[in-house]
Amino acid sequence: MSTDSSTSLINARERYAGWVLPLCWAAVALEGFDLVVLGVVLPSLLRFPAWGLTPNTASLISVVGLLGVMAGALAVGPLTDVIGRRRTMLITVVAFSVLTLLCAVAPNPWVFGVLRFLAGLGLGGVLPVALALVNEYAKSGRSGSTTTTMMTGYHVGAVLTALLGILVIPSLGWRSMFVIGALPALVLVPVMLRYLPESTWYLRAKAGEISPVLQRALGKYRHTIEQVAPRGSRMSRRWSGVTARSVR
């Protein structure tokens, strides 16, 4: 059986490889929106009489949210080894979207701060998983440009947050920004469920065809080899032999 046929049997969703970049771009755009939204609504929060926020309290809420992002980024690697990249991406997007929506109904700054920390856990996991997926499914020699394209999603999301804040907050209030930030997940998550493929390396490791340690090593250097070794060259053939021998 050829390598392509074997891969297709292991990862039936690989035919949706073209969906990886746009779906990860959209997820990173939502991350950019949610990471910037607190800064956009902060002036309104400081003037919100029911909460009586001070600049120090507002800064503490910001720090707590960023600590959640850091914790999420640190935890997502081991999680993907256990449940896979596709499932991890879905969980992180659903988690931060739901928690962002709950921020819109937070009754006090303490609950708001806890929700921002929990949302940060999901936000911190999105980018590492998205980077891993787009690099794995990038065309040979295109991993750099693919990564750059995906990262524009963050900046688009951040800019949209600022623009929407100017238009929305004066008429609908600061809570509406968190509702707007969560709503796109109603479309994105079902599309991800349908079209986002799992990592082939993860599926092979799960099937026992390749050891997890070798999986990570080969995945780390695959695109470097492909960039310096044109398809069909001697080095490329040797690389193919290494990956073939890694399969039990």
Side-chain angles (χ1 to χ4, degrees), residues 59-197:
S59 297
L60 179 60
I61 292 174
S62 299
V63 170
V64 166
L66 293 175
L67 288 175
V69 173
M70 181 180 69
L74 291 173
V76 74
L79 182 62
T80 58
D81 288 341
V82 176
I83 67 174
R85 292 171 182 171
R86 178 178 183 272
R87 192 175 300 175
T88 303
M89 176 65 82
L90 287 164
I91 289 173
T92 54
V93 172
V94 170
F96 80 70
S97 297
V98 170
L99 290 161
T100 296
L101 182 62
L102 291 176
C103 286
V105 295
N108 56 62
W110 308 112
V111 173
F112 184 80
V114 170
L115 291 172
R116 288 300 296 172
F117 174 81
L118 295 175
L121 295 176
L123 291 167
V126 170
L127 186 58
V129 179
L131 285 170
L133 280 172
V134 298
N135 274 282
E136 177 173 351
Y137 282 98
K139 294 181 180 179
S140 179
R142 297 292 302 276
S143 60
S145 60
T146 302
T147 300
T148 301
T149 300
M150 188 201 71
M151 288 303 300
T152 62
Y154 176 88
H155 304 292
V156 170
V159 171
L160 283 177
T161 309
L163 293 176
L164 285 171
I166 295 171
L167 297 173
V168 171
I169 293 178
S171 57
L172 299 179
W174 63 266
R175 295 183 187 272
S176 62
M177 291 295 294
F178 293 96
V179 176
I180 293 171
L183 287 180
L186 293 175
V187 176
L188 180 59
V189 171
V191 176
M192 280 185 164
L193 282 169
R194 179 69 177 87
Y195 292 110
L196 185 66

Side-chain angles (χ1 to χ4, degrees), residues 183-239:
L183 287 180
L186 293 175
V187 176
L188 180 59
V189 171
V191 176
M192 280 185 164
L193 282 169
R194 179 69 177 87
Y195 292 110
L196 185 66
E198 180 55 273
S199 163
T200 300
W201 290 102
Y202 166 76
L203 293 175
R204 284 184 171 178
K206 188 176 179 180
E209 290 193 2
I210 180 172
S211 71
V213 174
L214 189 56
Q215 172 202 10
R216 288 191 289 270
L218 294 178
K220 180 179 179 181
Y221 294 108
R222 180 171 74 91
H223 288 286
T224 302
I225 295 295
E226 290 176 350
Q227 286 173 357
V228 300
R231 188 179 297 274
S233 66
R234 180 179 298 179
M235 183 181 292
S236 178
R237 290 194 298 272
R238 288 181 176 178
W239 170 248

Side-chain angles (χ1 to χ4, degrees), residues 13-26 134 137 188 191-192 194-197:
R13 289 181 177 271
E14 195 171 39
R15 66 184 185 276
Y16 298 134
W19 283 86
V20 172
L21 178 57
L23 289 177
C24 289
W25 185 95
V134 298
Y137 282 98
L188 180 59
V191 176
M192 280 185 164
R194 179 69 177 87
Y195 292 110
L196 185 66

